[in-house]
Amino acid sequence: MRRFVAFVALAGAISTVACDGFGQAMTAHTDVLARAAGHELTVDQATNLLAPATQIPAQNDVVDAVANLWIDYVLLATAAAQDSTLSNIDLDAIIEPYFNQQLVFRLRDEVIEVDTMVTDEELRQLFDQSPVGAEVRARHILFRLPPDASPQDRQAVQQRAEAVRQQAVGGADFAQLAAEHTEEPGGAERGGDLGYFGPNQMVQPFEEAAFALQAGEVSGLVETPFGIHIIKVEDRRSAPYEDVRDQFREMVIGERVGGAEEAYLTQLTDTRQIQVESGATAIARELASKPGSTLSRRAGQRVLVRYQGGSLTAAEYLALMQQRPAAQRGQIAAASDDQLEDWLRLLARDEILIEEARNRGLAAPQSEQDSARLELREQLVDAARQSGLLPITAQAGETQAQAVQRQVSEFISAIITGQANVIPLGAIGFTLRQQYGAELFERAIPTVVSRVEQRRPAGEQQQPFPQMPPEQMPTEQPLPPAQQPSSPPQP
């Protein structure tokens, strides 16, 4: 499946909204932090929300997060006030990627034919050639190398590491060398010992180098985001065949299916001449980090990937990013140019697969589409109720608009003080912004930070903003792999 589709599940976390040089500039307002559906969050109101919560740091990212929560909840409350069933919210943009995945899965089932029969004798032969459950026990010596190291500093670290490696290759006690030279925290006390580990437990360059070694062998210099490593494998082991026979059979069948999928994809896409355009990776990175960017018509039509018979534009790419969880967008934004080029090619390949599925007349039954929309809408109604935004009840002398402002402020205040959890709207938040309109004025953020600091006593202990999921995954992680969502997206 990983080879056949690059989509991921759509349920996501709170999304950062910002404008940049690639999008249209927002109007500069010094007294208004955000607007949504005709409502305003002023600098003073934001200050009043944050200033009493002295455990929350007064930082730009915290103010940004609070402003985006306010926008999401004001828009949800506005929609709920208009229609308590929330049938006024257009969910097609959110549902479409899910059904596009189903189209691709249907295409796979129609075109992929592979022999999945594996005899016991053949299975044992394959296991002996490549056993599963393999683990290695390794030691390593780490030499720290900052990402921004100068060429001279890099050369100096490499020379120092190579000198130690030569000692290890010459027979010196590796544990003693690690105790003397490793810069891994706690590594010296362990003699660099990492114990046994299997696949997908270490960063990729380290794992590849370790599993390529036989017991007793010492690696060359291996560079990872942590620095430069020297690795020595102490032992290798694998699980007994009888214990993993069924698991191994499934793996062999999966590999055969995967090979057939890859062959079909190659045949389908190679003739389409997928080409990533110059400058596309920079735009892809920027839009992944700022999924709320507003693109002009011209900017939205900018082609990122071109292929015979079609293309992927910036606007289409931005819509895809808005469907992804915040942590995965962070991975994409932190990826290298080479990774991003591969990623863009995968997205273009998905477009080709969807096109092929439609050309073959494949489609999800209307009843299935209606059921998915109903399920998502019910979940959204439940989210509105949990957040206290449905129903919106005006108090004496209060307009409906004032009631919306009050109940949203009360809910966000409860989040800030730890009395309530964030209810993320994910992709639905972007749909609401497009439907009702919203703006975040970044120039007002430092003003809020400054005023919050002025209102607070000095020396208070501060904690991270409650329940906020991270926007970035570690930079050494690969781009999000293909997933197979088994249900429609959720708010």
Side-chain angles (χ1 to χ4, degrees):
M1 305 293 187
R2 292 184 61 176
R3 296 176 176 88
F4 209 71
V5 61
F7 291 116
V8 295
L10 304 177
I14 300 302
S15 304
T16 301
V17 172
C19 271
D20 48 43
F22 192 66
Q24 296 173 333
M26 290 181 175
T27 307
H29 287 262
T30 57
D31 59 338
V32 176
L33 177 60
R35 282 187 180 145
H39 298 269
E40 288 188 345
L41 176 65
T42 67
V43 167
D44 286 342
Q45 289 169 335
T47 302
N48 291 337
L49 282 170
L50 283 166
T54 56
Q55 77 280 8
I56 304 298
Q59 296 174 349
N60 286 359
D61 59 342
V62 171
V63 175
D64 181 272
V66 168
N68 278 291
L69 285 178
W70 180 89
I71 288 174
D72 277 350
Y73 296 147
V74 163
L75 296 178
L76 180 59
T78 299
Q82 293 175 357
D83 183 349
S84 61
T85 67
L86 295 177
S87 60
N88 52 340
I89 299 178
D90 183 4
L91 300 180
D92 284 352
I94 301 168
I95 292 292
E96 182 182 15
Y98 166 72
F99 284 111
N100 282 343
Q101 293 180 57
Q102 304 312 303
L103 278 182
V104 172
F105 294 157
R106 283 180 167 87
L107 174 64
R108 176 203 61 209
D109 294 340
E110 180 171 293
V111 301
I112 299 300
E113 295 182 4
V114 61
D115 181 9
T116 57
M117 292 296 296
V118 186
T119 67
D120 289 341
E121 182 181 357
E122 183 182 9
L123 190 69
R124 183 57 195 253
Q125 290 175 348
L126 291 172
F127 181 85
D128 291 340
Q129 294 169 10
S130 180
V132 299
E135 293 183 318
V136 298
R137 180 184 178 183
R139 296 178 186 269
H140 80 132
I141 302 170
L142 172 65
F143 297 84
R144 293 284 184 182
L145 181 65
D148 57 350
S150 67
Q152 294 82 0
D153 289 342
R154 174 179 292 274
Q155 184 178 16
V157 172
Q158 289 174 335
Q159 289 176 345
R160 184 159 55 93
E162 180 60 28
V164 175
R165 193 188 81 86
Q166 290 296 332
Q167 295 181 54
V169 171
D173 185 284
F174 197 93
Q176 184 60 39
L177 290 175
E180 294 174 2
H181 299 285
T182 190
E183 296 173 6
E184 176 202 7
E189 292 78 6
R190 304 192 314 272
D193 192 2
L194 296 171
Y196 284 96
F197 58 87
N200 303 315
Q201 291 184 251
M202 301 293 179
V203 291
Q204 188 173 7
F206 190 99
E207 175 184 310
E208 290 179 353
F211 276 88
L213 298 172
Q214 296 302 315
E217 289 186 333
V218 176
S219 73
L221 301 185
V222 179
E223 184 170 345
T224 75
F226 299 103
I228 294 177
H229 308 256
I230 307 167
I231 306 168
K232 181 179 181 181
V233 167
E234 301 281 357
D235 187 26
R236 297 177 67 100
R237 67 185 183 186
S238 61
Y241 172 71
E242 294 299 330
D243 291 351
V244 296
R245 179 176 53 191
D246 293 341
Q247 174 192 351
F248 185 65
R249 185 183 299 275
E250 291 300 318
M251 187 184 78
V252 169
I253 293 172
E255 288 178 350
R256 288 186 177 183
V257 173
E261 290 178 353
E262 191 64 42
Y264 174 79
L265 282 169
T266 300
Q267 175 267 325
L268 179 66
T269 60
D270 275 7
T271 58
R272 303 295 288 269
Q273 299 176 344
I274 298 173
Q275 178 64 47
V276 178
E277 296 292 294
S278 175
T281 56
I283 295 172
R285 183 179 291 107
E286 187 172 9
L287 294 181
S289 64
K290 299 179 179 179
S293 299
T294 302
L295 303 183
S296 67
R297 181 177 179 182
R298 180 180 178 184
Q301 292 175 342
R302 171 82 177 267
V303 173
L304 303 185
V305 188
R306 196 181 303 275
Y307 54 90
Q308 190 176 56
S311 63
L312 176 68
T313 67
E316 291 167 339
Y317 174 83
L318 179 60
L320 291 172
M321 290 301 97
Q322 291 175 348
Q323 303 295 337
R324 294 185 179 272
Q328 291 183 354
R329 289 197 305 269
Q331 285 180 267
I332 295 167
S336 68
D337 284 349
D338 287 344
Q339 287 178 310
L340 282 174
E341 283 198 16
D342 290 342
W343 177 243
L344 289 169
R345 289 190 186 96
L346 283 175
L347 294 180
R349 190 175 72 173
D350 285 347
E351 295 296 314
I352 294 172
L353 285 168
I354 293 167
E355 175 190 316
E356 178 68 12
R358 288 172 177 161
N359 288 341
R360 288 173 175 263
L362 301 177
Q366 189 61 47
S367 59
E368 186 178 338
Q369 296 183 41
D370 293 341
S371 176
R373 288 187 179 89
L374 177 61
E375 181 182 347
L376 179 56
R377 204 175 301 279
E378 289 175 347
Q379 292 169 351
L380 186 57
V381 169
D382 184 59
R385 288 200 181 102
Q386 288 184 46
S387 55
L389 305 179
L390 182 66
I392 295 291
T393 306
Q395 297 177 351
E398 189 178 50
T399 66
Q400 189 73 0
Q402 290 170 332
V404 167
Q405 286 270 58
R406 174 179 51 78
Q407 290 191 225
V408 169
S409 294
E410 288 175 356
F411 182 47
I412 293 178
S413 179
I415 291 172
I416 291 173
T417 57
Q419 300 175 48
N421 293 331
V422 171
I423 298 178
L425 300 187
I428 291 174
F430 292 109
T431 295
L432 290 169
R433 292 164 200 248
Q434 294 169 3
Q435 190 167 336
Y436 290 97
E439 294 179 293
L440 190 152
F441 303 107
E442 288 188 321
R443 294 185 181 181
I445 291 177
T447 304
V448 176
V449 171
S450 177
R451 293 190 184 181
V452 170
E453 289 175 339
Q454 292 172 8
R455 292 257 307 265
R456 288 179 175 177
E460 292 285 348
Q461 185 176 3
Q462 299 176 345
Q463 301 295 328
F465 190 73
Q467 304 298 322
M468 292 300 290
E471 280 291 299
Q472 302 249 340
M473 297 291 284
T475 57
E476 67 268 21
Q477 296 293 324
L479 289 178
Q483 300 285 336
Q484 303 168 50
S486 57
S487 60
Q490 300 179 358

